[in-house]
């Protein structure tokens, strides 16, 4: 056993896959300790908040300030104030007003602003321009003037007695707040999803759930396939024909179609993660059974097996002590592949809306389903789906790399 483990961990492919998988498992264990709480808690009112650090504006106004004069601050404000749509609209106004823009670079903020302030006239009425569009340009012009000329923002509140606005505070352009002084700060490395939930916290929880689904599905499929394969291969005859007849029926019916039919027949509220995992295992054991059967057929007439038969040992003892140890490595590899297939099957089911119920837990497939339903892929919210795809890829890649490493160790034809 010790020598076998030494050989396994001398395989660079197995070690690589094992390290990737264990890093994912450690992340699932450690991150909830750092960031505890319900991963499905809605912390955002809007949808698809971008990744970043969010500071409470309300608390920042009451936090102590420091005066700083950072170089290029005004230019950065102007660049940020001009969106891509604003820049296109400014070019449209120049064209309508007859201002030449052939050599104008829309990414050159200074050139855009110089041309704008030199030519914009609030009273101008370019031909074919609607009143709503002229009002838009007027608001844009006022905003740019305020940013360029204004040095102070006044915060006012209504007096409860007089009903008039009274100045409460002035905020200068040079006022800066230390983020450590703000009472409420939240860092969202992967932003929020369509429901306003922390994507990273949800991803870690979903990764753990999907791996558990894969493990349960792998155990169920491997146990069924191993048991039937051992019986068919060792007994032969009518038992072999009957087991292979059942196996062939399940083989002919596409497994994923059968999986869809079974899960669809179960109500959404009854579809828990464990039930989905069991159903996946019940529909994916056939190739394990056929492979184990072929391995057992090649072993059942070996000398040590015949010696056990002559010694009067029971069938159970012969199978468990004289046959199973010889195919144990193959069973482990089959189990790893079943786990990987179970994770992918859950992702496919959830993407179709047939995964576990959505109110109690998150899975990688459910996260993909939510991102697709709310068009994250079309509105540029990459953080809602790309990390999920990457996580599924890493899990499958690590498991298949481990399986390849084991195959190189235990398959004589692949040894160096």
């Amino acid at each position: 056993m010790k020598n076998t483990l030494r050989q396994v961990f001398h395989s660079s492919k197995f070690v690589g896959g094992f390290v990737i998988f264990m890093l994912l498992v450690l992340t699932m264990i450690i991150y909830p300790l750092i960031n505890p709480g319900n991963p499905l808690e809605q912390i955002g009112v809007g949808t698809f908040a971008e990744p970043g650090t969010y500071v409470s504006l309300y608390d920042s106004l009451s936090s102590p300030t420091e005066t700083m004069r950072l170089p290029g601050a005004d230019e950065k404000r102007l660049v940020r104030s001009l969106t891509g749509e604003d820049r296109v609209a400014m070019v449209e106004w120049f064209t309508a007003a007859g201002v030449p823009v052939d050599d104008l670079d829309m990414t050159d903020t200074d050139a855009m602003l110089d041309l704008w302030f030199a030519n914009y006239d609030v009273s101008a009425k370019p031909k074919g321009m609607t009143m709503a569009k002229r009002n838009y340009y007027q608001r844009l012009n006022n905003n740019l003037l305020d940013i360029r000329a204004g040095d102070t923002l006044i915060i006012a509140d209504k007096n409860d007695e007089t009903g008039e606005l009274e100045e409460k505070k002035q905020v200068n352009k040079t006022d800066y707040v230390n983020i450590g002084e703000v009472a409420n700060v939240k860092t969202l490395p992967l932003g929020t999803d369509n429901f306003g939930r922390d994507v990273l916290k949800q991803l870690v929880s979903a990764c753990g759930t999907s791996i558990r689904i894969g493990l349960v599905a792998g155990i169920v499929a491997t146990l069924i396939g191993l048991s039937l394969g051992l019986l068919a291969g060792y007994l032969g005859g009518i038992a072999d024909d009957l087991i292979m007849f059942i196996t062939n029926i399940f083989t002919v019916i596409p497994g994923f179609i059968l999986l869809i039919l079974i899960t669809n027949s179960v109500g959404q509220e009854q579809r828990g993660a464990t039930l989905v995992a069991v159903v996946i295992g019940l529909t994916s054991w056939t190739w394990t059974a056929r492979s184990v059967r072929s391995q057992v057929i090649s072993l059942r007439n070996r000398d040590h097996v015949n010696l056990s038969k002559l010694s009067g040992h029971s069938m159970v003892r012969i199978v468990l002590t004289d046959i199973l140890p010889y195919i144990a490595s193959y069973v482990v590899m089959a189990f790893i592949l079943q786990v990987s297939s179970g994770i992918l099957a859950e992702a496919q089911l959830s993407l179709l809306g047939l995964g576990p119920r959505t109110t109690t837990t998150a899975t990688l497939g459910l996260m993909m389903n939510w991102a697709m339903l709310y068009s994250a892929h079309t509105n540029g919210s990459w953080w809602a789906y790309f990390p999920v795809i990457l996580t599924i890829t890493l899990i499958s890649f690590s498991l298949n790399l481990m399986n390849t490493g084991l195959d190189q160790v235990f398959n004589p034809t692949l040894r160096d």
Side-chain angles (χ1 to χ4, degrees):
M1 184 65 178
K2 187 181 295 185
N3 184 53
T4 301
L5 289 176
R6 187 181 296 110
Q7 288 180 330
V8 168
F9 281 94
H10 271 84
S11 170
S12 58
K13 290 184 178 180
F14 178 85
V15 172
F18 183 77
V19 168
I20 295 173
F21 189 76
M22 289 309 299
L23 286 175
L24 291 171
V25 172
L26 288 174
T27 301
M28 293 184 304
I29 296 173
I30 296 173
Y31 187 77
L33 301 177
I34 301 173
N35 188 7
N38 181 10
L40 297 183
E41 178 186 5
Q42 296 183 4
I43 62 174
V45 177
T47 61
F48 296 122
E50 294 186 6
T53 299
Y54 288 82
V55 180
S56 169
L57 181 60
Y58 183 90
D59 293 327
S60 64
L61 292 175
S62 59
S63 300
T65 60
E66 295 290 341
T67 301
M68 295 186 179
R69 300 186 183 277
L70 301 183
D74 289 335
E75 288 75 8
K76 290 180 180 178
R77 291 190 185 96
L78 287 169
V79 170
R80 179 59 62 89
S81 66
L82 277 181
T83 65
E85 294 179 358
D86 290 337
R87 294 171 188 264
V88 173
M90 290 169 70
V91 172
E92 291 176 354
W93 190 92
F94 292 144
T95 304
V99 179
V101 292
D102 294 338
D103 298 328
L104 180 63
D105 182 6
M106 286 197 299
T107 61
D108 189 345
T109 304
D110 291 334
M112 291 281 292
L113 292 175
D114 291 340
L115 193 62
W116 177 262
F117 290 124
N119 293 277
Y120 178 74
D121 183 2
V122 68
S123 61
K125 297 181 180 180
K127 185 177 179 181
M129 187 174 293
T130 63
M131 176 65 72
K133 196 69 172 179
R134 292 201 299 272
N135 290 337
Y136 161 77
Y137 285 120
Q138 187 173 351
R139 289 193 300 271
L140 175 61
N141 183 65
N142 293 336
N143 184 42
L144 294 175
L145 288 173
D146 289 340
I147 295 174
R148 171 170 279 192
D151 292 324
T152 304
L153 290 176
I154 297 175
I155 300 175
D157 194 10
K158 184 180 290 187
N159 189 305
D160 294 334
E161 296 179 358
T162 64
E164 296 181 355
L165 290 176
E166 295 182 354
E167 180 180 325
K168 295 295 183 181
K169 186 177 182 180
Q170 289 187 356
V171 180
N172 300 315
K173 282 184 175 181
T174 54
D175 288 344
Y176 285 80
V177 176
N178 187 328
I179 195 173
E181 299 289 342
V182 182
N184 291 292
V185 178
K186 181 67 175 178
T187 299
L188 299 172
L190 294 179
T192 64
D193 66 358
N194 49 288
F195 297 113
R197 302 179 298 204
D198 186 343
V199 171
L200 180 57
K201 182 188 289 188
Q202 190 179 166
L203 179 64
V204 172
S205 175
C207 183
T209 305
S210 292
I211 289 179
R212 287 195 296 271
I213 289 175
L215 289 172
V216 173
I219 290 172
V220 172
T222 304
L223 286 177
I224 295 175
L226 177 63
S227 301
L228 294 179
L230 287 171
L231 288 174
Y234 182 78
L235 295 176
I238 297 176
D240 183 22
D241 293 338
L242 179 61
I243 292 174
M244 283 300 99
F245 175 74
I246 297 173
T247 303
N248 290 334
I249 291 177
F250 278 88
T251 304
V252 171
I253 302 174
F256 192 64
I257 300 299
L258 186 62
L259 185 58
I260 290 175
L261 293 175
I262 296 175
T263 52
N264 192 44
S265 64
V266 181
Q268 174 70 28
E269 292 302 317
Q270 285 71 44
R271 283 205 304 267
T274 303
L275 179 60
V276 170
V278 171
V279 172
I280 292 173
L282 290 174
T283 57
S284 57
W285 54 267
T286 52
W287 62 269
T288 302
R290 297 177 69 90
S291 300
V292 169
R293 171 183 174 271
S294 64
Q295 296 282 333
V296 174
I297 289 175
S298 66
L299 290 170
R300 67 185 181 187
N301 291 321
R302 296 280 180 91
D303 292 341
H304 68 284
V305 176
N306 291 328
L307 181 60
S308 293
K309 291 178 182 178
L310 293 174
S311 301
H313 294 160
S314 65
M315 183 191 73
V316 175
R317 179 175 176 178
I318 294 173
V319 169
L320 294 180
T321 61
D322 296 321
I323 294 179
L324 187 58
Y326 287 87
I327 63 171
S329 59
Y330 180 82
V331 173
V332 172
M333 290 188 286
F335 171 72
I336 292 175
L337 289 180
Q338 289 285 12
V339 172
S340 178
S341 299
I343 294 171
L344 294 176
E346 181 278 323
Q348 292 173 318
L349 277 178
S350 296
L351 199 59
L352 296 175
L354 298 173
R357 54 181 176 266
T358 61
T359 56
T360 58
T361 186
T363 68
L364 296 173
L366 285 174
M367 290 185 69
M368 287 294 296
N369 178 256
W370 294 330
M372 182 184 69
L373 288 178
Y374 288 84
S375 304
H377 57 292
T378 58
N379 61 27
S381 302
W382 57 268
W383 56 89
Y385 63 90
F386 182 74
V388 183
I389 296 174
L390 182 60
T391 302
I392 294 175
T393 303
L394 283 175
I395 294 174
S396 298
F397 174 72
S398 64
L399 292 173
N400 282 280
L401 199 60
M402 291 167 63
N403 186 75
T404 302
L406 290 175
D407 199 23
Q408 287 183 337
V409 171
F410 295 114
N411 191 340
T413 60
L414 297 179
R415 292 176 186 169
D416 294 333

